[in-house]
Every structure is written in C-alpha cells, then in structure tokens.
Amino acid sequence: REEISDEKKGMISRWMKWNTSKTWRYEPNHDLIAKIGKEGTKSPLDQFRDLVTMEKRDQETVGRSWSVKELRRKSYDDLHKLWYVLYKEKNMLLTEANLARRHGYNMVQPSRRQKVRKSMGAVKHVLGERKRKKMAGHKAYLEKLGQLDGLVAKMNLKGDDVEEAMETEADKLSFKET
C-alpha cells in the first residue's frame, strides 16, 4: 500500500472539516417532541405516537389479532374502517420502532406489529374470498346467459318473428285491460 503524504492528509483534513461544517444536521426540538401526546395539546402528529406511557404499556398486554372467521361476519364498510384503523396503528408502531432505534431502547411489546400485520392479512384474505365468490357468480351468470342464447338459436326464430310475437302478445293484453 502506498503511504499518504502529509500534504494529502492535510488536504483531506481540511476538506473533512469544511464538509462537516456545511452539512445540515437534524437537531430535534426535544421540548416540542415532549409536548406531543400530552394532555392539553392537540397535534395531528398524535396519531403517529403511542399515547400510552411505556411503563403502563409494559404492564398491560395488548389484545390479539383478528381471525378470518370473525372478519367473514363483517360488512364491507366495517372491513374498510378496520383496515384504516390497522393502517394507522401500523404507522404508529413503525414510528415508535424508529424512535426506539434512534434513542437506543427496546420497543415495548414488539409483538404488536406482528398482530397488526396478521390482522391486515386476514382482512385481505376475506376481501379476496368475497371477490372470488362474486367473480364465480358472474361467470355462472354468463354461462347461463350463453345457454339461453343457445336455446333461442335452436328455436330458429328470426328477429321479425320474435317482434311479431311480442306485438300480438301486447295486443292481447291491451284488449283484456279495456
């Protein structure tokens, strides 16, 4: 390996000092961050933070994930609302995990992310089942329609004959009403 000369070391050192002084660094406003989620303050950022204290969260266990069997009984609107709630919960947990990683502490109850992910998967599963069922019903309808078209074709009715038959039926009905 080639030795780096003192001149090159000095140039590198000057460049590093210049580069670090020009680079913008994020300095968090700890007072503002501390106010998020506290009583008396309303911030739109509250929905991305877990408002339950870490001590209380550590003592209490969270619930379980939604099962597919339970979600099959829900309406489409209920599933949509649940998806939105789970999505917000997922974002909140990702924010909390990122803060825990940055500040060097372990996230309290990391299994919550898995429960949310499993519930979101169950919602997708139920919606997929409903979609497949609806598509199968539509396919059966189209097949039945094709069968009826085949019966009409077997009857060898021409377009004019069908129209004449419909007119005579309409005339019969109109004579009965009057």
PDB file of all heavy atoms in Angstrom, residues 1-9 12:
ATOM      1  N   ARG A   1       0.836  -1.190   0.000  1.00  0.00           N
ATOM      2  CA  ARG A   1       0.000   0.000   0.000  1.00  0.00           C
ATOM      3  C   ARG A   1       0.868   1.235   0.000  1.00  0.00           C
ATOM      4  O   ARG A   1       1.943   1.269   0.575  1.00  0.00           O
ATOM      5  CB  ARG A   1      -0.892   0.006   1.240  1.00  0.00           C
ATOM      6  CG  ARG A   1      -2.081  -0.918   1.065  1.00  0.00           C
ATOM      7  CD  ARG A   1      -2.979  -1.013   2.245  1.00  0.00           C
ATOM      8  NE  ARG A   1      -3.121   0.196   3.008  1.00  0.00           N
ATOM      9  CZ  ARG A   1      -3.967   0.331   3.998  1.00  0.00           C
ATOM     10  NH1 ARG A   1      -4.706  -0.676   4.356  1.00  0.00           N
ATOM     11  NH2 ARG A   1      -4.062   1.451   4.651  1.00  0.00           N
ATOM     12  N   GLU A   2       0.333   2.225  -0.596  1.00  0.00           N
ATOM     13  CA  GLU A   2       1.044   3.497  -0.725  1.00  0.00           C
ATOM     14  C   GLU A   2       0.802   4.360   0.499  1.00  0.00           C
ATOM     15  O   GLU A   2      -0.303   4.431   1.023  1.00  0.00           O
ATOM     16  CB  GLU A   2       0.511   4.198  -1.985  1.00  0.00           C
ATOM     17  CG  GLU A   2       1.127   5.531  -2.248  1.00  0.00           C
ATOM     18  CD  GLU A   2       0.474   6.170  -3.471  1.00  0.00           C
ATOM     19  OE1 GLU A   2       0.231   5.457  -4.458  1.00  0.00           O
ATOM     20  OE2 GLU A   2       0.208   7.359  -3.396  1.00  0.00           O
ATOM     21  N   GLU A   3       1.847   4.954   1.000  1.00  0.00           N
ATOM     22  CA  GLU A   3       1.756   5.857   2.142  1.00  0.00           C
ATOM     23  C   GLU A   3       1.137   7.183   1.693  1.00  0.00           C
ATOM     24  O   GLU A   3       1.434   7.682   0.611  1.00  0.00           O
ATOM     25  CB  GLU A   3       3.143   6.131   2.728  1.00  0.00           C
ATOM     26  CG  GLU A   3       3.665   5.005   3.591  1.00  0.00           C
ATOM     27  CD  GLU A   3       2.891   4.885   4.878  1.00  0.00           C
ATOM     28  OE1 GLU A   3       2.558   5.911   5.501  1.00  0.00           O
ATOM     29  OE2 GLU A   3       2.605   3.739   5.260  1.00  0.00           O
ATOM     30  N   ILE A   4       0.296   7.733   2.514  1.00  0.00           N
ATOM     31  CA  ILE A   4      -0.314   9.030   2.205  1.00  0.00           C
ATOM     32  C   ILE A   4       0.601  10.112   2.761  1.00  0.00           C
ATOM     33  O   ILE A   4       0.984  10.095   3.939  1.00  0.00           O
ATOM     34  CB  ILE A   4      -1.714   9.131   2.825  1.00  0.00           C
ATOM     35  CG1 ILE A   4      -2.626   8.048   2.246  1.00  0.00           C
ATOM     36  CG2 ILE A   4      -2.323  10.495   2.579  1.00  0.00           C
ATOM     37  CD1 ILE A   4      -3.993   8.000   2.870  1.00  0.00           C
ATOM     38  N   SER A   5       0.920  11.055   1.905  1.00  0.00           N
ATOM     39  CA  SER A   5       1.834  12.128   2.322  1.00  0.00           C
ATOM     40  C   SER A   5       1.130  13.075   3.287  1.00  0.00           C
ATOM     41  O   SER A   5      -0.102  13.116   3.370  1.00  0.00           O
ATOM     42  CB  SER A   5       2.326  12.896   1.092  1.00  0.00           C
ATOM     43  OG  SER A   5       1.250  13.606   0.522  1.00  0.00           O
ATOM     44  N   ASP A   6       1.941  13.821   4.028  1.00  0.00           N
ATOM     45  CA  ASP A   6       1.406  14.792   4.979  1.00  0.00           C
ATOM     46  C   ASP A   6       0.577  15.857   4.268  1.00  0.00           C
ATOM     47  O   ASP A   6      -0.420  16.337   4.811  1.00  0.00           O
ATOM     48  CB  ASP A   6       2.548  15.446   5.763  1.00  0.00           C
ATOM     49  CG  ASP A   6       3.199  14.468   6.729  1.00  0.00           C
ATOM     50  OD1 ASP A   6       2.509  13.488   7.109  1.00  0.00           O
ATOM     51  OD2 ASP A   6       4.363  14.683   7.105  1.00  0.00           O
ATOM     52  N   GLU A   7       0.992  16.189   3.066  1.00  0.00           N
ATOM     53  CA  GLU A   7       0.259  17.202   2.302  1.00  0.00           C
ATOM     54  C   GLU A   7      -1.150  16.704   1.974  1.00  0.00           C
ATOM     55  O   GLU A   7      -2.135  17.431   2.123  1.00  0.00           O
ATOM     56  CB  GLU A   7       1.029  17.531   1.015  1.00  0.00           C
ATOM     57  CG  GLU A   7       0.408  18.643   0.193  1.00  0.00           C
ATOM     58  CD  GLU A   7       1.197  18.916  -1.079  1.00  0.00           C
ATOM     59  OE1 GLU A   7       2.405  18.669  -1.120  1.00  0.00           O
ATOM     60  OE2 GLU A   7       0.554  19.372  -2.027  1.00  0.00           O
ATOM     61  N   LYS A   8      -1.260  15.434   1.546  1.00  0.00           N
ATOM     62  CA  LYS A   8      -2.563  14.861   1.233  1.00  0.00           C
ATOM     63  C   LYS A   8      -3.412  14.740   2.501  1.00  0.00           C
ATOM     64  O   LYS A   8      -4.612  14.991   2.483  1.00  0.00           O
ATOM     65  CB  LYS A   8      -2.417  13.488   0.583  1.00  0.00           C
ATOM     66  CG  LYS A   8      -2.094  13.527  -0.881  1.00  0.00           C
ATOM     67  CD  LYS A   8      -2.154  12.123  -1.462  1.00  0.00           C
ATOM     68  CE  LYS A   8      -1.905  12.167  -2.952  1.00  0.00           C
ATOM     69  NZ  LYS A   8      -1.939  10.822  -3.534  1.00  0.00           N
ATOM     70  N   LYS A   9      -2.784  14.334   3.618  1.00  0.00           N
ATOM     71  CA  LYS A   9      -3.516  14.231   4.880  1.00  0.00           C
ATOM     72  C   LYS A   9      -4.082  15.581   5.287  1.00  0.00           C
ATOM     73  O   LYS A   9      -5.211  15.686   5.739  1.00  0.00           O
ATOM     74  CB  LYS A   9      -2.609  13.687   5.983  1.00  0.00           C
ATOM     75  CG  LYS A   9      -2.343  12.217   5.883  1.00  0.00           C
ATOM     76  CD  LYS A   9      -1.458  11.778   7.034  1.00  0.00           C
ATOM     77  CE  LYS A   9      -1.097  10.313   6.925  1.00  0.00           C
ATOM     78  NZ  LYS A   9      -0.210   9.870   7.988  1.00  0.00           N
ATOM     79  N   ILE A  12      -7.027  16.409   3.008  1.00  0.00           N
ATOM     80  CA  ILE A  12      -8.194  15.607   3.385  1.00  0.00           C
ATOM     81  C   ILE A  12      -8.797  16.140   4.672  1.00  0.00           C
ATOM     82  O   ILE A  12     -10.020  16.274   4.802  1.00  0.00           O
ATOM     83  CB  ILE A  12      -7.802  14.121   3.520  1.00  0.00           C
ATOM     84  CG1 ILE A  12      -7.471  13.536   2.145  1.00  0.00           C
ATOM     85  CG2 ILE A  12      -8.917  13.315   4.183  1.00  0.00           C
ATOM     86  CD1 ILE A  12      -6.866  12.141   2.197  1.00  0.00           C
TER      87      ILE A  12
END
